[in-house]
């Protein structure tokens, strides 16, 4: 019989990952779903194939029945508190797989707590936007003992992911370090697009030709974010795809890692300053793409474009 799986945390990424796990994961028992806001679990369960998921009322209720527990949670504090709650149950022999984006030091603390309770652990952050999670096109990063990683791998390439960075045998913290550094590329990309489009508008070139060049030279994420900026999506969304508070959390972690290593990430510092301006303007619903609005405002334009 296949392992019984519990999924904790149903944000944008988690929902897409669960969908693919149910559709392509060869589960022979319903996927258990838990989220602090229960309605998210209910809503997702109703969208999945009937009979393929089950909403659980608490972390303890789900963990007690699960063999594998996946976590996709918002920040370090939530991960640590959730794990502390989970290991109150008997978790001996169970496997925890954490896909949250957290500081490497947090990852090591979480691993120590889980291993101390007799369970196995894999640090497994993922790269990709929510649309990639929905399409099963994420890139997984799996670190930890080879035996534990081998238990988690069947749910990645071909199920929730298109590829893996296999870090079997490496310290758990290395997966989180790669994830934090990788996310600075996203921040820097958004910052450069925002600055470029503002300069194009202010100089009289206009954004149309710059966007056309981006589409031809940098297809993929660059073009997608450029489209979100010029279409006005960055200031019209009801729910952010990459919330400003989470982006700032990642930036803080990156700057902390750089400081500890004796270097700096100056591009990240610039991006974080615009994230701070975005948070002041739009509050917690601000999306990372709205750095464009912060750069526009800094240049004397309206935060919102006229698209």
């Amino acid at each position: 019989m296949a392992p019984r799986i519990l999924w904790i945390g149903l944000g944008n990424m988690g929902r897409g990952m669960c969908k693919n796990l149910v559709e392509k994961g060869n589960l022979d028992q319903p996927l258990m779903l838990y989220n602090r806001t229960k309605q998210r679990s209910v809503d997702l369960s109703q969208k999945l194939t009937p009979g393929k998921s089950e909403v659980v009322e608490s972390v303890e209720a789900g963990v007690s029945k699960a063999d594998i527990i996946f976590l996709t949670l918002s920040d370090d504090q939530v991960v640590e508190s959730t794990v502390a709650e989970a290991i109150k149950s008997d978790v001996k022999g169970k496997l925890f797989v954490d896909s949250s984006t957290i500081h490497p030091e947090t990852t090591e603390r979480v691993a120590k707590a889980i291993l101390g309770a007799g369970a196995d652990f894999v640090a497994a952050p993922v790269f990709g936007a929510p649309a990639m999670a929905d399409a099963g096109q994420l890139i997984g990063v799996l670190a930890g003992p080879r035996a534990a990683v081998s238990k988690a791998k069947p749910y990645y390439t071909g199920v929730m992911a298109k590829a893996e960075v296999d870090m079997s045998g490496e310290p758990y913290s290395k997966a989180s370090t790669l994830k934090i550094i990788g996310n600075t590329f996203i921040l820097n990309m958004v910052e450069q697009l925002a600055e470029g489009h503002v300069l194009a508008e202010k100089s009289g070139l206009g954004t149309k030709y710059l966007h056309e060049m981006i589409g031809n030279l940098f297809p993929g994420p660059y073009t997608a974010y450029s489209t979100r900026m010029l279409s006005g999506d960055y200031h019209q969304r009801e729910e952010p795809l990459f919330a400003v508070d989470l982006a700032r959390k990642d930036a803080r972690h990156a700057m902390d890692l750089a400081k500890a290593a004796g270097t700096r990430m100056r591009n990240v510092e610039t991006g974080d300053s615009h994230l701070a301006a975005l948070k002041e303007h739009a509050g917690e619903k601000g999306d990372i793409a709205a750095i464009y609005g912060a750069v526009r405002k800094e240049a004397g334009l309206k935060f919102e474009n006229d698209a």
Side-chain angles (χ1 to χ4, degrees):
M1 181 177 292
R4 188 79 194 274
I5 298 177
L6 166 67
W7 199 283
I8 301 177
L10 298 172
N12 290 328
M13 298 292 285
R15 293 196 295 270
M17 294 171 79
C18 284
K19 178 181 80 72
N20 284 289
L21 188 56
V22 165
E23 293 176 355
K24 297 180 286 185
N26 295 318
L27 307 185
D28 60 9
Q29 299 183 76
L31 174 65
M32 294 183 287
L33 305 172
Y34 174 79
N35 196 77
R36 285 181 299 172
T37 303
K38 181 182 176 181
Q39 193 59 43
R40 280 197 176 184
S41 300
V42 173
D43 291 344
L44 177 60
S45 183
Q46 291 174 346
K47 292 177 181 178
L48 297 174
T49 304
K52 293 291 186 178
S53 62
E54 172 191 341
V55 175
V56 295
E57 297 293 329
S58 67
V59 169
E60 182 180 3
V63 169
S64 66
K65 295 188 289 185
D67 301 302
I68 301 177
I69 300 97
F70 283 91
L71 306 169
T72 50
L73 298 167
S74 58
D75 60 37
D76 300 51
Q77 182 178 357
V78 175
V79 172
E80 292 199 86
S81 63
T82 301
V83 167
E85 186 176 355
I87 61 177
K88 290 178 182 177
S89 304
D90 181 5
V91 295
K92 291 182 176 63
K94 299 179 187 289
L95 172 65
F96 285 77
V97 182
D98 184 22
S99 292
S100 311
T101 301
I102 55 178
H103 195 287
E105 292 178 356
T106 307
T107 297
E108 291 293 344
R109 287 197 300 272
V110 166
K112 183 177 180 180
I114 289 171
L115 296 174
D120 293 322
F121 179 68
V122 172
V126 293
F127 287 106
M132 294 174 69
D134 197 58
Q137 293 295 296
L138 297 172
I139 299 172
V141 181
L142 282 66
R146 294 185 184 279
V149 170
S150 68
K151 293 179 184 178
K153 286 185 73 171
Y155 305 107
Y156 284 85
T157 300
V159 180
M160 300 186 297
K162 66 177 180 179
E164 300 157 11
V165 178
D166 188 338
M167 301 179 78
S168 296
E170 294 281 7
Y172 302 109
S173 58
K174 284 197 174 183
S176 295
T177 300
L178 178 58
K179 172 60 173 174
I180 294 298
I181 294 175
N183 274 16
T184 68
F185 283 63
I186 298 171
L187 176 57
N188 293 339
M189 173 184 66
V190 175
E191 176 69 26
Q192 184 58 55
L193 285 168
E195 291 182 13
H197 278 310
V198 169
L199 176 57
E201 182 171 344
K202 294 277 288 188
S203 67
L205 170 67
T207 58
K208 173 185 175 182
Y209 299 116
L210 180 58
H211 181 66
E212 186 175 344
M213 181 278 288
I214 291 166
N216 286 309
L217 190 59
F218 303 115
Y222 272 87
T223 302
Y225 269 104
S226 181
T227 299
R228 291 189 61 208
M229 291 175 184
L230 300 186
S231 69
D233 175 85
Y234 73 93
H235 64 80
Q236 296 170 352
R237 298 192 63 83
E238 289 296 321
E239 181 179 0
L241 291 178
F242 191 163
V244 59
D245 286 344
L246 299 184
R248 293 206 74 194
K249 176 258 297 179
D250 292 354
R252 286 194 302 271
H253 287 344
M255 290 185 287
D256 182 69
L257 288 176
K259 182 178 179 181
T263 187
R264 289 179 67 176
M265 303 197 83
R266 295 183 185 273
N267 289 347
V268 174
E269 293 170 15
T270 299
D272 186 56
S273 70
H274 286 135
L275 286 170
L278 162 60
K279 176 65 180 289
E280 184 176 352
H281 180 91
E284 63 183 15
K285 289 188 175 182
D287 184 279
I288 192 174
I291 282 177
Y292 180 43
V295 176
R296 286 174 58 84
K297 192 173 179 181
E298 188 176 69
L301 301 171
K302 288 170 49 184
F303 183 96
E304 298 82 6
N305 65 359
D306 295 326

